[in-house]
Amino acid sequence: MTSQAHGATALTRLHRLGYTLPPQNPGKEKYAPCQWGGAGFHVSGQLPYVDGKLPAQGILGRDVGMEQAEELARLAALNALAVAASAVGDLERLRVVQMMVFVASTPEFGEQWKVADAASALLLDVLGDNGQHARTAIGVAGLPSNSPVEIQMVCTTVPADG
């Protein structure tokens, strides 16, 4: 499922899904949005911010429903893609190697994988084969800013011709 097979660029496919890459505003954080090491780079954990605000806060299974959590996962993945694309120049040069999805959830909630599936599907829809990745979905008691979802990625580059 390469971009050539779809006849469209990754950015075009992203737009067709109704998303745009958010602008990157390097802040004065005590950490880097991404860090190169070895053959690839690590994208710091990304929350599902939209225009600097979280669309929802709370714990899945108590404050946030599954459908909303899936959209939040897509937004967090979108923010991670924006950081990664900024690091390599564009989406066409990007390959996602691993994704870690953290889901703030109640102790009895056991479907973190479903939340992660929404983010995985976005990566595959946008990047094709370059979006195929190893994945971990983890339930946690809480996340920064009371976000329901946080996503971290390990990425690498691919040659410009695929």
Side-chain angles (χ1 to χ4, degrees):
M1 178 167 25
T2 63
S3 59
Q4 291 82 10
H6 276 99
T9 67
L11 195 57
T12 299
R13 289 191 300 276
L14 183 69
H15 291 159
R16 286 180 185 160
L17 293 170
Y19 297 101
T20 59
L21 287 178
Q24 295 303 291
N25 300 317
K28 298 183 191 256
E29 289 86 8
K30 293 177 176 65
Y31 64 91
C34 74
Q35 187 67 41
W36 287 88
F41 60 96
H42 296 256
V43 175
S44 293
Q46 299 295 307
L47 301 180
Y49 284 115
V50 176
D51 297 326
K53 297 179 182 167
L54 287 174
Q57 292 177 299
I59 305 293
L60 191 58
R62 184 182 75 204
D63 310 311
V64 177
M66 180 61 78
E67 189 173 311
Q68 188 174 34
E70 290 170 336
E71 178 59 15
L72 293 169
R74 286 187 285 271
L75 292 171
L78 178 67
N79 290 336
L81 281 176
V83 170
S86 178
V88 300
D90 67 44
L91 288 173
E92 300 303 321
R93 302 261 349 266
L94 180 65
R95 175 175 290 137
V96 179
V97 176
Q98 181 184 26
M99 179 171 65
M100 291 183 19
V101 181
F102 301 91
V103 181
S105 51
T106 60
E108 62 277 354
F109 185 82
E111 296 184 321
Q112 291 84 0
W113 64 272
K114 287 184 180 179
V115 177
D117 274 354
S120 292
L122 178 72
L123 296 179
L124 291 169
D125 288 345
V126 172
L127 299 175
D129 291 340
N130 290 334
Q132 185 69 46
H133 56 278
R135 185 183 84 192
T136 302
I138 303 168
V140 297
L143 291 167
S145 300
N146 201 24
S147 175
V149 179
E150 182 173 5
I151 290 182
Q152 177 184 352
M153 288 183 187
V154 177
C155 303
T156 191
T157 59
V158 293
D161 61 356

